[in-house]
């Protein structure tokens, strides 16, 4: 518990399904790009992800972000946030 949480306060964790977890792993492996937009589209290995709803959710949940600023619509490298990395790491430990 951190100092901002009150005893008995539920911890809210992002909802991530198997497809989203695969997207996070790909971004973590350096294979992702995002479009600079309020609704960033995710590209893996240069191809647009078929589930842009999931891609938008990852960005809005703060799990994936652009590695650097860019012009509107420009594709820039995608990186995991600390929360995104924590989910990938937890899944790796759970699978081991």
């Amino acid at each position: 518990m951190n100092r901002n949480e009150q005893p008995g306060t539920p911890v809210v964790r992002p909802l991530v399904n198997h497809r989203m977890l695969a997207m996070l792993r790909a971004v973590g492996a350096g294979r992702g790009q995002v479009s600079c937009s309020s609704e960033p589209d995710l590209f893996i290995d240069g191809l647009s992800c078929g589930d842009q709803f999931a891609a938008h959710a990852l960005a809005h949940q703060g799990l994936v972000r652009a590695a650097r600023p860019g012009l509107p619509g420009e594709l820039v490298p995608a990186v995991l946030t600390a929360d995104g990395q924590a989910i990938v790491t937890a899944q790796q430990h759970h699978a081991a």
Side-chain angles (χ1 to χ4, degrees):
M1 179 179 323
N2 68 38
R3 60 188 153 154
N4 295 327
E5 295 175 344
Q6 299 298 318
T9 303
V11 176
V12 178
R13 302 234 190 281
L15 297 176
V16 177
N17 61 31
H18 290 288
R19 180 180 299 172
M20 295 164 89
L21 185 57
M23 296 162 117
L24 289 173
R25 286 193 307 260
V27 170
R31 299 171 38 215
Q33 293 179 299
V34 292
S35 60
C36 295
S37 169
S38 61
E39 289 292 340
D41 292 326
L42 181 63
F43 294 76
I44 304 294
D45 297 331
L47 300 173
S48 178
C49 285
D51 187 348
Q52 288 303 329
F53 177 80
H56 295 164
L58 293 175
H60 290 297
Q61 291 183 53
L63 304 176
V64 174
R65 66 171 180 80
R68 62 173 176 78
L71 298 173
E74 180 182 3
L75 292 181
V76 299
V79 294
L80 296 177
T81 64
D83 288 342
Q85 184 60 55
I87 289 171
V88 172
T89 300
Q91 184 275 334
Q92 289 170 339
H93 290 299
H94 181 70

